[in-house]
Coordinates of all heavy atoms in Angstrom, one line a residue:
L4 N 3.4 -13.5 -7.0 CA 2.5 -12.5 -6.5 C 2.1 -12.8 -5.0 O 2.0 -11.9 -4.2 CB 1.3 -12.4 -7.4 CG 0.3 -11.3 -7.1 CD1 0.9 -9.9 -7.1 CD2 -0.9 -11.3 -8.1
K5 N 1.8 -14.1 -4.8 CA 1.2 -14.4 -3.4 C 2.2 -14.2 -2.3 O 1.9 -14.0 -1.2 CB 0.8 -15.9 -3.4 CG 1.9 -16.9 -3.5 CD 1.4 -18.3 -3.4 CE 2.4 -19.4 -3.6 NZ 3.6 -19.3 -2.8
D6 N 3.5 -14.1 -2.7 CA 4.6 -13.8 -1.7 C 4.9 -12.3 -1.6 O 5.8 -11.9 -0.9 CB 5.8 -14.6 -2.0 CG 5.5 -16.1 -1.9 OD1 4.8 -16.6 -1.1 OD2 6.1 -16.9 -2.8
S7 N 4.3 -11.5 -2.4 CA 4.6 -10.1 -2.6 C 3.7 -9.2 -1.8 O 3.9 -8.0 -1.8 CB 4.5 -9.7 -4.0 OG 5.4 -10.5 -4.8
F8 N 2.8 -9.8 -1.0 CA 1.9 -8.9 -0.2 C 1.5 -9.8 1.0 O 1.5 -11.0 0.9 CB 0.7 -8.4 -1.0 CG -0.3 -9.4 -1.3 CD1 -1.4 -9.6 -0.5 CD2 -0.1 -10.1 -2.5 CE1 -2.3 -10.6 -0.9 CE2 -1.1 -11.1 -2.8 CZ -2.2 -11.3 -2.0
E9 N 1.1 -9.1 2.1 CA 0.5 -9.8 3.2 C -0.4 -8.8 4.0 O -0.1 -7.6 4.0 CB 1.6 -10.3 4.1 CG 2.5 -9.2 4.7 CD 3.6 -9.8 5.5 OE1 3.6 -10.9 6.0 OE2 4.6 -9.0 5.8
L10 N -1.4 -9.4 4.6 CA -2.3 -8.6 5.5 C -1.7 -8.6 6.9 O -1.3 -9.7 7.3 CB -3.7 -9.1 5.4 CG -4.4 -8.7 4.1 CD1 -5.7 -9.5 4.0 CD2 -4.7 -7.2 4.0
I11 N -1.6 -7.5 7.5 CA -1.1 -7.5 8.9 C -2.2 -6.9 9.8 O -2.9 -5.9 9.5 CB 0.1 -6.5 9.0 CG1 1.2 -6.9 8.0 CG2 0.6 -6.4 10.4 CD1 2.3 -5.9 7.9
T12 N -2.5 -7.6 10.9 CA -3.5 -7.2 11.8 C -2.8 -6.5 13.0 O -2.0 -7.1 13.7 CB -4.3 -8.4 12.4 OG1 -5.0 -9.0 11.3 CG2 -5.4 -7.9 13.3
F13 N -3.1 -5.2 13.2 CA -2.5 -4.4 14.2 C -3.4 -4.6 15.5 O -4.6 -4.9 15.5 CB -2.5 -2.9 13.9 CG -1.8 -2.7 12.5 CD1 -2.5 -2.1 11.5 CD2 -0.5 -3.1 12.4 CE1 -1.9 -1.9 10.3 CE2 0.1 -2.9 11.2 CZ -0.5 -2.3 10.1
P14 N -2.7 -4.4 16.7 CA -3.5 -4.5 17.9 C -4.7 -3.5 17.9 O -4.6 -2.4 17.4 CB -2.4 -4.1 19.0 CG -1.1 -4.3 18.3 CD -1.3 -4.0 16.9
K15 N -5.8 -4.0 18.5 CA -6.9 -3.1 18.6 C -7.3 -3.1 20.1 O -7.7 -4.2 20.7 CB -8.1 -3.7 17.8 CG -9.4 -3.0 17.8 CD -10.4 -3.6 16.9 CE -11.7 -2.9 16.8 NZ -12.6 -3.5 15.9
I16 N -7.2 -2.0 20.7 CA -7.5 -1.9 22.1 C -8.9 -1.3 22.2 O -9.1 -0.1 22.0 CB -6.4 -1.0 22.8 CG1 -5.0 -1.6 22.7 CG2 -6.8 -0.8 24.3 CD1 -3.9 -0.7 22.8
K17 N -9.8 -2.3 22.5 CA -11.2 -1.9 22.5 C -11.5 -1.1 23.8 O -11.0 -1.3 24.9 CB -12.1 -3.1 22.5 CG -12.0 -3.8 21.2 CD -13.0 -4.9 21.0 CE -12.8 -5.7 19.8 NZ -13.5 -7.0 19.7
D18 N -12.4 -0.1 23.6 CA -12.7 0.8 24.7 C -14.0 1.5 24.4 O -14.3 1.8 23.3 CB -11.6 1.9 24.7 CG -11.6 2.7 26.0 OD1 -12.7 3.2 26.5 OD2 -10.5 2.9 26.6
T19 N -14.9 1.6 25.4 CA -16.2 2.3 25.2 C -16.0 3.7 24.8 O -16.8 4.4 24.2 CB -17.0 2.2 26.5 OG1 -16.2 2.7 27.6 CG2 -17.5 0.8 26.8
R20 N -14.8 4.3 25.1 CA -14.5 5.7 24.7 C -14.1 5.8 23.2 O -13.9 6.9 22.7 CB -13.4 6.3 25.6 CG -13.7 6.3 27.0 CD -12.4 6.7 27.8 NE -11.3 5.7 27.6 CZ -10.1 5.9 27.9 NH1 -9.7 7.1 28.3 NH2 -9.1 5.0 27.6
G21 N -13.9 4.6 22.6 CA -13.4 4.6 21.2 C -12.2 3.6 21.2 O -11.4 3.6 22.1
N22 N -12.1 2.9 20.1 CA -11.0 1.9 20.0 C -9.7 2.6 19.6 O -9.7 3.7 19.1 CB -11.3 0.9 18.9 CG -12.6 0.1 19.3 OD1 -12.9 -0.1 20.5 ND2 -13.3 -0.4 18.3
L23 N -8.6 1.9 19.9 CA -7.3 2.4 19.6 C -6.4 1.3 19.0 O -6.4 0.2 19.4 CB -6.6 2.9 20.9 CG -5.2 3.5 20.9 CD1 -5.1 4.5 22.1 CD2 -4.1 2.5 20.9
S24 N -5.8 1.7 17.8 CA -4.8 0.7 17.2 C -3.5 1.4 17.2 O -3.4 2.6 17.2 CB -5.3 0.4 15.8 OG -6.3 -0.6 15.9
V25 N -2.4 0.5 17.2 CA -1.1 1.0 17.2 C -0.2 0.3 16.2 O -0.4 -0.9 16.0 CB -0.5 0.9 18.7 CG1 -0.6 -0.6 19.2 CG2 0.9 1.4 18.8
V26 N 0.7 1.0 15.6 CA 1.7 0.4 14.7 C 3.1 0.8 15.1 O 3.3 2.0 15.2 CB 1.4 0.9 13.2 CG1 2.4 0.1 12.3 CG2 0.0 0.7 12.8

Side-chain angles (χ1 to χ4, degrees):
L4 185 58
K5 68 175 175 55
D6 300 320
S7 299
F8 70 94
E9 61 183 342
L10 286 168
I11 303 170
T12 301
F13 305 120
K15 180 176 179 179
I16 300 160
K17 290 188 185 165
D18 194 312
T19 50
R20 299 171 299 162
N22 297 333
L23 183 153
S24 283
V25 56
V26 185

